Amino acid sequence: MKAEYLEPLTLQSPLCVLPGIGEKRAVKLKKRNLYTVEDLLYWLPREYRDLRQIYSISDAPEGVPCCVKALVAGLPVTSYIRSGMRLTRVTVADEAGQMSLTFFNQVYVRSALVRGEEYIFYGTVERQGSRKAMTNPMFEKEGRRRFTGRIMPVYHLTAGISNYVLSQAVRQAVVRCAGTLSDPLPESVREQYHLMGLGRALQNVHFPTDFAELEQARRRLVFEELLLLSLGLALMRERRGEGTGRKYRLFPLEEYYETLPFSLTGAQKRTIEEAAADLCSGLPMNRLVQGDVGSGKTVVAAACAWLTAKNGAQSAMMAPTEILAEQHYHTLSPLLERSGLRVGLLTGSMKAKEKRDVYERLELGMIDLIVGTHALISEGVRFQDLGLVITDEQHRFGVGQRARLAEKGREGSGQPPHVLVMSATPIPRTLALIIYGDLDVSVIDELPPGRQHIDTFLIGEDKRERMYGFVRKQVEEGHQVYMVCPSVSAEAALERGAMTAAELKAVEEYAAELQTRVFPDLRVGLVHGKLKPKAKEQVMGQFLRRELDILVSTTVIEVGVDVPNATLMVIENAERFGLSQLHQLRGRVGRGKAKSYCVLVSDNRNPDTRQRMKVLCGTNDGFQISEEDLKLRGPGDFFGARQHGLPQLRVADLAGDMRVLQQARDTAEGLLAEDPGLQKPENAGMMERVQRLFERNQDGLN
Ligand code: ADP
Ligand code: MG
């Protein structure tokens, strides 16, 4: 393509304006979410090859890829070795030696390699007898080097597009955009953190002159990405505050505290005060309460319901299953009835007449707090005045479901209800800033006094029989036991209850083996992800009513179900779980008065894996565990906890870039303090990029 035909490029130009990218390839790139020049520019190489060193034939190292400069000494000769397979050979040479090259099915080399000309060949040198040889090397003519003699980017490949074609397209994009790119980062910020300009960063992240420059280029792009993300989240939080919310009157919280059978921890009080301040601020509350299992989130939610009732409005708490709804109902009603609140329950399996009765009382305002399942969002449900919606993050309600419940709050007053989300997944603080950046977050980082420590042990197969003996002992003492088997992909199982047929067979066999061979005299139940919700609830119900001694499950055991009589958690193939997942599972026991235990079974010898599991044996502190998990496994698991909503990060790797994340957060805060809606002209470029980042993700943040 000749230079004068080149159209000017903008970041928004479609990819087919680039050389080598026709309609067909553009379609392929779309599958990788690459639509525009900007997408491509921010699509960083998977790795880099250092081709800066160019060797002579005799100096070239063997067995590793390298560049060799040599002259084409003979005519390339092509032969057919079998149908469809063509072999082209040619000899190259320099002053001191010779090397033979072999190309498979690349007939074009016959015309591409000209006898007597000098080329750089990139490939792995091997020895064939006394001779050196290379197979399928990449080559460039000396004097027209593009990749050799420098650091070469290697991209994730898409079928039908070679690394060469892709690199060329990226190079064009870099060159043709460089002059017109406006840098979203204000100069003051770049100076403060010693960040290079955007053009230079893009140039060097794809075609670095050296590795130090590459590192700086990457750091600059990571900073930019995390800054835009932080800004976007903060703006969402602000925008939410633009509408008016219900402004509650504050009643002395001590009045509520006095009705409780225990005194609250400092962390619980602080959290309640933070939430109460939201409720009385005149803006809609959107608060996440994070606290380890057993930290006492329920009384915090109850406090909000209490204040809501004091203000003459109603609260709704949505749970994902009937069992959980019933459990919440049974803990919340005694807690709140002491203050005169009327607590109701609504689930799908209630009789029609009972439901109608609840509907009526809700509509008349005769129920102050309704606890229920999805039944709460069904047609017939009308509130007199819904002021507060409470959900549990771990239950993973769809964005839509929560919104539909909130909608019911608008029906009466036209004002959105306050929203309180609870989460039992401890997330490292720095990460929470991103994952929950659009919510206000309270952390209950203190357990009620006297909480028992769950003794945790790591054992190998050699101790299996002893472990079975321990299970039996617990049951003989009148307790119950969980035995958990991972699916192959433990995460997938935890997320969606997904399971393959083979995995299903494995867990069924495991349960059958326990029942028939190991514990023929005990009652063993099985619950797994392939069961229908009704069947699942039935087994869980049996366990809850002590009709089962042992519950075998995949990771789908309902997080949050409270079986205080369960004192032992056995986790098979513990190495397959993330630390935080193990901690969550362990939290299923130790909920009653009896001493509780967790046994991790694993024969894995990998030192890292063992260290990870040892962390769990050493501490019961969920936040400490989550910090360790982040260090050891990276942030993927934590993001899994909140799948939708967050824009995909293209450059940053949060595990490695935590320090930059903090800097970006600080910068975002500073920028917004000076220019709250990012309205100033000098911030327009930044604002545009923020909007684009969040547009890519239509869900928005839930
Ligand atoms: P989670 O945060 O896991 O939802 P819960 O709210 O279910 O925890 O509380 C766990 C248990 O601790 C409940 O039995 C609750 O009554 C009790 N509890 C909560 N707060 C306190 C406290 N400050 N002192 C003593 N017990 C408490
Ligand atoms: Mg709870």
Side-chain angles (χ1 to χ4, degrees):
M1 212 187 261
K2 284 194 193 133
E4 57 264 36
Y5 291 114
L6 299 180
E7 319 157 33
L9 284 187
T10 72
L11 287 180
Q12 296 316 298
S13 304
L15 285 178
C16 53
V17 303
L18 295 171
I21 311 291
E23 288 296 328
K24 267 198 191 143
R25 282 177 174 159
V27 168
K28 287 185 173 139
L29 291 170
K30 275 180 192 154
K31 294 210 178 103
R32 285 211 175 256
N33 273 330
L34 302 172
Y35 296 89
T36 63
V37 167
E38 175 182 324
D39 297 336
L40 192 64
L41 286 174
Y42 281 87
W43 199 54
L44 305 198
R46 169 167 64 84
E47 59 179 30
Y48 300 86
R49 278 197 205 129
D50 190 353
L51 309 190
R52 284 175 298 180
Q53 178 86 2
I54 294 187
Y55 295 92
S56 66
I57 293 176
S58 54
D59 290 346
E62 289 172 32
V64 289
C66 68
C67 291
V68 176
K69 181 154 96 171
L71 212 72
V72 173
L75 280 176
V77 178
T78 297
S79 52
Y80 296 77
I81 48 175
R82 56 173 185 270
S83 65
M85 185 63 107
R86 279 169 293 183
L87 202 93
T88 306
R89 290 180 195 280
V90 63
T91 300
V92 297
D94 58 17
E95 294 91 45
Q98 285 200 346
M99 178 164 75
S100 54
L101 307 182
T102 308
F103 297 88
F104 287 100
N105 285 343
Q106 295 180 41
V107 182
Y108 76 95
V109 303
R110 265 195 311 200
S111 49
L113 290 178
V114 179
R115 176 144 70 157
E117 300 270 2
E118 207 169 24
Y119 296 83
I120 315 286
F121 298 95
Y122 174 72
T124 304
V125 178
E126 271 148 46
R127 186 161 284 282
Q128 284 177 357
S130 61
R131 259 189 144 187
K132 288 191 169 183
M134 256 189 202
T135 306
N136 286 342
M138 195 181 89
F139 58 88
E140 289 183 323
K141 198 151 183 214
E142 172 61 325
R144 284 173 49 193
R145 296 184 194 171
R146 284 209 162 99
F147 295 108
T148 57
R150 42 169 96 212
I151 299 170
M152 183 180 87
V154 181
Y155 298 91
H156 284 281
L157 287 190
T158 298
I161 307 181
S162 69
N163 195 54
Y164 186 82
V165 167
L166 210 60
S167 308
Q168 289 296 83
V170 174
R171 188 186 297 281
Q172 281 276 335
V174 170
V175 170
R176 286 162 67 187
C177 279
T180 58
L181 282 179
S182 71
D183 195 326
L185 297 185
E187 206 168 313
S188 57
V189 172
R190 290 205 318 256
E191 269 168 24
Q192 186 182 350
Y193 292 104
H194 309 289
L195 301 165
M196 61 172 72
L198 179 56
R200 182 167 145 205
L202 288 172
Q203 165 82 39
N204 273 287
V205 86
H206 291 285
F207 309 103
T209 47
D210 58 57
F211 284 99
E213 191 76 356
L214 168 62
E215 183 48 40
Q216 290 307 315
R218 214 190 140 266
R219 186 173 68 89
R220 134 86 216 205
L221 295 174
V222 168
F223 185 98
E224 172 186 312
E225 180 166 56
L226 295 177
L227 175 66
L228 296 176
L229 182 63
S230 304
L231 284 171
L233 292 167
L235 286 170
M236 282 175 87
R237 200 164 52 211
E238 257 172 40
R239 199 165 314 141
R240 213 184 50 222
E242 278 166 10
T244 52
R246 299 145 185 275
K247 190 172 166 71
Y248 288 180
R249 187 156 87 77
L250 185 62
F251 288 78
L253 295 166
E254 285 69 27
E255 224 180 281
Y256 166 72
Y257 297 163
E258 277 160 19
T259 65
L260 298 174
F262 40 71
S263 45
L264 294 173
T265 62
Q268 283 172 316
K269 281 191 185 159
R270 180 176 34 77
T271 303
I272 292 174
E273 278 156 24
E274 284 165 359
D278 291 352
L279 295 171
C280 300
S281 73
L283 300 175
M285 171 166 83
N286 239 314
R287 183 166 291 275
L288 173 84
V289 173
Q290 250 206 357
D292 212 342
V293 245
S295 61
K297 293 183 287 292
T298 317
V299 281
V300 170
C304 295
W306 176 84
L307 194 56
T308 301
K310 280 280 183 189
N311 279 272
Q314 294 165 296
S315 305
M317 179 187 263
M318 191 154 67
T321 66
E322 304 219 333
I323 289 186
L324 279 169
E326 279 164 20
Q327 280 200 339
H328 278 310
Y329 171 72
H330 289 300
T331 32
L332 284 164
S333 32
L335 216 56
L336 287 167
E337 275 164 6
R338 267 178 241 137
S339 311
L341 266 70
R342 296 153 300 178
V343 183
L345 174 70
L346 182 68
T347 64
S349 69
M350 281 164 52
K351 295 201 187 72
K353 183 175 167 315
E354 291 172 325
K355 281 191 206 160
R356 270 202 310 277
D357 184 47
V358 172
Y359 291 171
E360 202 174 293
R361 287 191 293 139
L362 268 180
E363 196 158 1
L364 291 173
M366 289 163 65
I367 292 176
D368 301 301
L369 167 64
I370 181 82
V371 181
T373 54
H374 303 100
L376 283 175
I377 51 180
S378 55
E379 273 297 303
V381 178
R382 284 205 183 74
F383 290 85
Q384 188 192 49
D385 185 17
L386 177 60
L388 171 67
V389 168
I390 305 164
T391 57
D392 223 326
E393 164 84 8
Q394 68 203 16
H395 300 153
R396 291 163 200 184
F397 284 108
V399 192
Q401 287 171 325
R402 196 177 295 156
R404 261 158 74 199
L405 186 52
E407 246 342 276
K408 295 199 179 278
R410 285 179 193 268
E411 283 167 8
S413 65
Q415 281 180 328
H418 296 289
V419 173
L420 186 73
V421 181
M422 297 186 291
S423 167
T425 316
I427 290 186
R429 268 157 230 272
T430 13
L431 219 51
L433 295 177
I434 285 294
I435 296 184
Y436 295 113
D438 60 323
L439 300 176
D440 299 307
V441 180
S442 296
V443 179
I444 309 185
D445 50 5
E446 184 184 349
L447 292 182
R451 209 23 71 75
Q452 62 158 297
H453 181 92
I454 303 165
D455 288 349
T456 304
F457 308 94
L458 175 60
I459 64 162
E461 279 302 322
D462 53 329
K463 299 238 170 60
R464 174 167 294 279
E465 291 303 322
R466 269 180 70 183
M467 180 270 282
Y468 287 151
F470 191 52
V471 170
R472 179 173 289 283
K473 184 158 162 282
Q474 292 299 313
V475 175
E476 279 166 0
E477 286 172 7
H479 299 305
Q480 290 162 283
V481 178
Y482 289 106
M483 300 187 79
V484 175
C485 293
S487 300
V488 164
S489 148
E491 291 98 73
L494 200 63
E495 291 304 334
R496 297 178 295 273
M499 210 185 351
T500 66
E503 286 159 12
L504 176 62
K505 185 156 165 279
V507 66
E508 278 175 341
E509 279 171 1
Y510 174 75
E513 153 94 358
L514 286 177
Q515 177 71 87
T516 56
R517 188 187 73 78
V518 191
F519 305 117
D521 51 330
L522 304 183
R523 299 163 300 174
V524 179
L526 169 64
V527 49
H528 57 73
K530 280 279 196 297
L531 286 181
K532 294 239 159 60
K534 268 256 163 323
K536 225 188 278 177
E537 289 221 10
Q538 202 187 340
V539 182
M540 288 305 302
Q542 286 177 324
F543 192 61
L544 194 59
R545 293 189 300 272
R546 302 175 69 161
E547 293 163 21
L548 293 173
D549 303 306
I550 297 171
L551 182 67
V552 174
S553 82
T554 53
T555 37
V556 295
I557 7 173
E558 286 302 348
V559 207
V561 171
D562 204 0
V563 184
N565 191 47
T567 52
L568 173 58
M569 166 68 62
V570 176
I571 304 175
E572 299 276 359
N573 294 102
E575 75 280 355
R576 300 227 194 124
F577 295 91
L579 270 183
S580 297
Q581 292 174 321
L582 290 172
H583 177 65
Q584 287 288 314
L585 286 170
R586 177 170 64 179
R588 296 301 94 212
V589 298
R591 302 173 84 82
K593 297 215 164 43
K595 176 80 193 151
S596 296
Y597 308 88
C598 176
V599 176
L600 308 174
V601 187
S602 174
D603 258 351
N604 193 295
R605 291 282 140 214
N606 180 311
D608 287 350
T609 312
R610 294 196 75 77
Q611 190 206 332
R612 189 153 56 82
M613 293 183 291
K614 284 270 168 60
V615 171
L616 215 73
C617 301
T619 179
N620 272 207
D621 177 343
F623 278 96
Q624 198 184 328
I625 289 168
S626 72
E627 296 283 356
E628 288 295 324
D629 209 8
L630 179 66
K631 264 190 249 152
L632 295 169
R633 300 221 320 174
D637 288 354
F638 298 107
F639 281 98
R642 190 165 184 198
Q643 284 176 311
H644 352 259
L646 280 181
Q648 203 81 39
L649 292 177
R650 298 184 284 191
V651 187
D653 153 22
L654 285 176
D657 296 322
M658 291 296 265
R659 214 168 62 90
V660 185
L661 174 59
Q662 194 57 51
Q663 294 172 342
R665 288 274 318 176
D666 293 347
T667 306
E669 231 162 70
L671 287 167
L672 288 171
E674 265 180 36
D675 180 11
L678 287 189
Q679 311 278 337
K680 293 189 181 164
E682 65 264 33
N683 290 332
M686 207 156 41
M687 186 62 181
E688 193 197 317
R689 290 285 304 276
V690 170
Q691 277 164 343
R692 222 151 56 219
L693 179 65
F694 282 82
E695 264 165 29
R696 294 164 63 89
N697 198 288
Q698 284 299 331
D699 292 355
L701 294 169
N702 57 32

